[in-house]
Amino acid sequence: MLPNCLLHGVWIISRKKQKEKNPFFLYLAYNAPHSPLQPPVEWVNKVQERDKSLPVKRARLIALIEHLDYNIGKVIQSLEESGQLNNTLVIFASDNGGDRGSMANNGPTRGAKGDMFEGGIHVACALNMPGVFEGGRRDNHFVVMMDLMPTICDFVNVPVKHEIDGISVLDAIKGKTQNTEDRFVFWLRNEGGAQFCGKSQSAVRYNEYKLLQNLPFEKSQMFNLEEDSLETTPLPLQGDMFRKLNNAMTKHYRAWGAVPCQAPSK
């Protein structure tokens, strides 16, 4: 599980071989699929020929996704042809859930892009490195985007000697037992848009519990994601876990508020 942070991105990390002098790192950020939906016409035609019942907007989104997949495939092919694939870690992740306005399907989750519900922040992440990670294995460890840097550093044996958000989840990736949920993780968005009147929306999670305020004008809601993955039945805003989450969010707001995030309006 990864929260929103960046555009759809591919991280490519080559480990240094015994005779290799130039290991490399590549971060490849795609701005699609994203609105406005402007995929190549020939890709839209292929989607519509396959399923003539699709609305045009949905067909364009699918075409963008398939075009993205095709181009990532070209990168993988280049790594294979250069003999680097077996020595290279490839990570693919999205920044957020699918957009309602683009007719995206977020599967068995509530909400979409822009929400603090799981449909807005719970996305898939794929990793590939033949000979190191077992192919085809699915995992549901709780991992956030900030974990990628310490994980990559751990992977290439580069120590992180200063305080950093995120943890190395290399053990989890390798299929070993690792508790990645025993920590507070925060989502905080304050973009000052018209719909928020300059106010923020937020969420905090600890283990299976999550406290969120999806819109600044709505009441906060708390869920047990293990028992209620669709976030349909809010728990009472009381008890030890509510106080724990609420106090953590309050402290995070205070720390966040001490750092200027935008220029003052004139």
Side-chain angles (χ1 to χ4, degrees):
M1 172 182 179
L2 287 169
N4 52 337
C5 182
L6 301 168
L7 287 175
H8 307 82
V10 181
W11 291 260
I12 300 174
I13 306 96
S14 170
R15 289 201 298 189
K16 187 174 182 179
K17 294 181 180 179
Q18 189 174 4
K19 298 181 180 180
E20 177 64 55
K21 296 182 180 180
N22 297 304
F24 63 89
F25 170 80
L26 170 67
Y27 172 57
L28 180 59
Y30 289 88
N31 63 351
H34 201 284
S35 61
L37 302 177
Q38 299 173 329
V41 174
E42 61 271 22
W43 286 79
V44 181
N45 292 340
K46 285 194 294 185
V47 173
Q48 291 179 319
E49 289 172 5
R50 192 170 64 233
D51 187 347
K52 294 179 172 58
S53 68
L54 287 173
V56 174
K57 184 178 290 186
R58 175 71 178 165
R60 287 176 177 169
L61 177 66
I62 294 172
L64 271 177
I65 294 172
E66 293 186 353
H67 189 251
L68 168 69
D69 185 63
Y70 169 78
N71 282 288
I72 293 174
K74 290 173 67 176
V75 175
I76 300 298
Q77 182 179 356
S78 295
L79 289 170
E80 189 170 19
E81 291 174 352
S82 66
Q84 290 286 345
L85 186 60
N86 287 349
N87 193 54
T88 302
L89 170 62
V90 179
I91 305 173
F92 173 76
S94 176
D95 62 334
N96 49 245
D99 179 31
R100 288 187 187 88
S102 300
M103 301 185 71
N105 182 348
N106 289 307
T109 56
R110 178 182 178 182
K113 177 180 178 178
D115 287 334
M116 290 295 165
F117 295 111
E118 293 296 279
I121 61 177
H122 188 157
V123 299
C125 175
L127 298 95
N128 179 76
M129 187 169 183
V132 177
F133 307 130
E134 179 186 349
R137 178 167 56 87
R138 300 186 64 177
D139 199 300
N140 199 36
H141 274 92
F142 179 66
V143 179
V144 297
M145 197 73 76
M146 287 77 74
D147 295 336
L148 291 184
M149 179 180 172
T151 300
I152 291 170
C153 289
D154 193 8
F155 177 70
V156 295
N157 297 314
V158 174
V160 178
K161 298 180 180 179
H162 58 282
E163 185 177 353
I164 186 174
D165 288 333
I167 61 174
S168 171
V169 294
L170 191 58
D171 282 346
I173 291 172
K174 290 183 175 181
K176 299 178 181 179
T177 301
Q178 182 179 5
N179 185 350
T180 61
E181 299 187 2
D182 188 18
R183 52 176 169 157
F184 288 101
V185 176
F186 304 92
W187 293 261
L188 191 57
R189 183 182 182 188
N190 182 17
E191 297 180 355
Q195 69 184 111
F196 300 133
C197 296
K199 301 180 184 295
S200 62
Q201 56 180 156
S202 62
V204 53
R205 176 170 168 173
Y206 180 77
N207 285 328
E208 69 271 24
Y209 287 93
K210 178 180 168 187
L211 177 67
L212 65 90
Q213 188 173 20
N214 193 50
L215 292 175
F217 313 106
E218 295 179 350
K219 184 179 179 181
S220 295
Q221 300 177 70
M222 184 170 73
F223 300 95
N224 182 319
L225 296 177
E226 188 174 307
E227 299 175 355
D228 182 15
S229 61
L230 292 177
E231 299 171 288
T232 59
T233 309
L235 300 171
L237 298 180
Q238 60 188 33
D240 291 341
M241 184 52 66
F242 167 71
R243 286 189 290 272
K244 194 172 186 177
L245 290 169
N246 192 55
N247 289 341
M249 190 76 248
T250 299
K251 291 179 181 178
H252 186 73
Y253 259 109
R254 289 172 177 167
W256 166 79
V259 180
C261 63
Q262 60 186 18
S265 58
K266 297 181 180 179

